[in-house]
Amino acid sequence: LMNRKLATRTDVTSAGSRLSLVVLAVLTFSACAPALTSFAPAHVGPKGAVKAAIGVDVVAPTGTIGDAFDTARTLALASRSRTLSEEEKNELVSSAVKSALHPPALVQHFGVAYNPADDWEGSLQYAGGAFRLGGRHQILHRDRNGIDLSAGLGLSRFSYGLPLDDFIDVIDVDDFTRWTLDVPITLGRQGEFFRWWTGPRLAFVRHSAQLVVRLPAQGGEPARDDVARASGDGTYIGYLAGLAFGYRNVFLAFELSVARHLGSAELNVFGRTLSADTNATIFSPGLALLGEF
């Protein structure tokens, strides 16, 4: 009975520790995670039209946050009391890279779009520390085709030093850069009081990072600093759906994106070259205020 109580207490403590870790990660990485929501209904509109959006998204990766953070933190703590094996050092860096790529976060975003011609739109957005420049063209129209359909391209860049040492105190991420090319294809309809839109979520990512690994002195060996470099690419494949209600120029919108990231990273660390998968499934619900003028 005592063993059972002890095990239950340990499980509760572990769950509480993981929850605290996730909450801290959400607050810390609010300007680092990739934004998956678009908040762009399918219609583009006539020449001279202006649209604006401001809101917040929740980025919730599954699997990655628990496994990668736990592994990296466990090895970081172990390095204080013993010398890590080469395999453990490699796993430490690999887990840190995965944590940096898919952190949980609250992502604030805002954007503005302008139509230089009928059915053509150019936009500038800021979300999660990244600026995105994009364009769309409306192909089908509700009044002629019964449905709105638009498609386009967007390019965003994020570059920042990530505060990973708040979680893994033996690793600093000095420079993290992420380029994203996305292909928005959106189908939907609009009415006087509503908008709904849906479509595939497709994006291609290229990332690179430089990490400094600071291992403390252990077993007669001096403290050691090493520079690790990581680079790789990936693809987000998923689905999004949005719904907005309002009147005239202002609408309150909800959007949900679910995407699978398929990718890998090449790590150059401790004189060796390794590869690691960076796969993750990401859920991203969001709320925004939309304006159309």
Side-chain angles (χ1 to χ4, degrees), residues 121-137:
E121 175 188 275
S123 61
L124 179 65
Q125 297 172 316
Y126 175 85
F131 284 94
R132 177 187 180 274
L133 186 64
R136 291 194 301 162
H137 175 60

Side-chain angles (χ1 to χ4, degrees), residues 138-149 187-189:
Q138 186 167 349
I139 302 167
L140 300 180
H141 299 76
R142 178 182 59 87
D143 54 352
R144 298 196 298 266
N145 310 105
I147 199 79
D148 294 319
L149 173 66
L187 188 74
R189 292 195 66 174

Side-chain angles (χ1 to χ4, degrees), residues 195-271:
R195 280 97 172 87
W196 66 260
W197 61 97
T198 187
R201 190 71 176 93
L202 181 62
F204 307 94
V205 181
R206 178 69 181 172
H207 57 84
S208 62
Q210 177 173 292
L211 304 89
V212 179
V213 185
R214 297 187 170 92
L215 298 179
Q218 290 294 341
E221 296 183 6
R224 177 184 175 188
D225 288 1
D226 283 281
V227 176
R229 291 178 174 82
S231 61
D233 16 52
T235 302
Y236 287 97
I237 302 174
Y239 188 78
L240 66 84
L243 183 64
F245 293 99
Y247 180 63
R248 296 178 67 89
N249 304 110
V250 180
F251 293 81
L252 180 64
F254 171 80
E255 185 175 299
L256 173 65
S257 294
V258 180
R260 177 69 176 170
H261 178 271
L262 304 173
S264 61
E266 183 178 273
L267 313 177
N268 295 298
V269 54
F270 305 117

Side-chain angles (χ1 to χ4, degrees), residues 51-76:
K51 299 186 185 71
I54 182 169
V56 62
D57 313 333
V58 176
V59 178
T62 61
T64 301
I65 176 59
D67 297 340
F69 274 23
D70 283 353
T71 298
R73 282 172 61 87
T74 298
L75 291 173

Side-chain angles (χ1 to χ4, degrees), residues 4-252:
R4 188 178 304 168
K5 290 182 178 180
L6 181 59
T8 302
R9 188 178 304 133
T10 301
D11 291 341
V12 171
T13 303
S14 177
S17 177
R18 175 168 288 199
L19 178 60
S20 300
L21 177 64
V22 171
V23 171
L24 180 59
V26 166
L27 297 176
T28 302
F29 288 109
S30 292
C32 306
L36 295 181
T37 51
S38 66
F39 288 106
H43 64 282
V44 171
K47 179 180 178 179
V50 176
K51 299 186 185 71
I54 182 169
V56 62
D57 313 333
V58 176
V59 178
T62 61
T64 301
I65 176 59
D67 297 340
F69 274 23
D70 283 353
T71 298
R73 282 172 61 87
T74 298
L75 291 173
L77 290 172
S79 70
R80 299 176 184 175
S81 58
R82 63 177 177 83
T83 302
L84 299 182
S85 68
E86 292 301 316
E87 183 178 351
E88 288 175 323
K89 293 176 185 177
N90 296 334
E91 184 64 24
L92 172 63
V93 175
S94 175
S95 298
V97 170
K98 292 179 182 180
S99 301
L101 279 175
H102 306 297
L106 289 174
V107 180
Q108 296 178 346
H109 64 84
F110 59 88
V112 62
Y114 174 75
N115 291 12
D118 290 346
D119 298 333
W120 288 94
E121 175 188 275
S123 61
L124 179 65
Q125 297 172 316
Y126 175 85
F131 284 94
R132 177 187 180 274
L133 186 64
R136 291 194 301 162
H137 175 60
Q138 186 167 349
I139 302 167
L140 300 180
H141 299 76
R142 178 182 59 87
D143 54 352
R144 298 196 298 266
N145 310 105
I147 199 79
D148 294 319
L149 173 66
S150 62
L153 285 174
L155 180 66
S156 64
R157 182 180 186 273
F158 171 87
S159 182
Y160 200 70
L162 296 180
L164 200 61
D165 56 338
D166 288 350
F167 307 92
I168 311 166
D169 57 5
V170 297
I171 291 184
D172 294 329
V173 181
D174 287 343
D175 183 37
F176 180 84
T177 301
R178 180 179 63 238
W179 287 91
T180 304
L181 177 68
D182 63 274
V183 185
I185 302 173
T186 314
L187 188 74
R189 292 195 66 174
Q190 57 167 316
E192 187 175 5
F193 302 103
F194 73 92
R195 280 97 172 87
W196 66 260
W197 61 97
T198 187
R201 190 71 176 93
L202 181 62
F204 307 94
V205 181
R206 178 69 181 172
H207 57 84
S208 62
Q210 177 173 292
L211 304 89
V212 179
V213 185
R214 297 187 170 92
L215 298 179
Q218 290 294 341
E221 296 183 6
R224 177 184 175 188
D225 288 1
D226 283 281
V227 176
R229 291 178 174 82
S231 61
D233 16 52
T235 302
Y236 287 97
I237 302 174
Y239 188 78
L240 66 84
L243 183 64
F245 293 99
Y247 180 63
R248 296 178 67 89
N249 304 110
V250 180
F251 293 81
L252 180 64

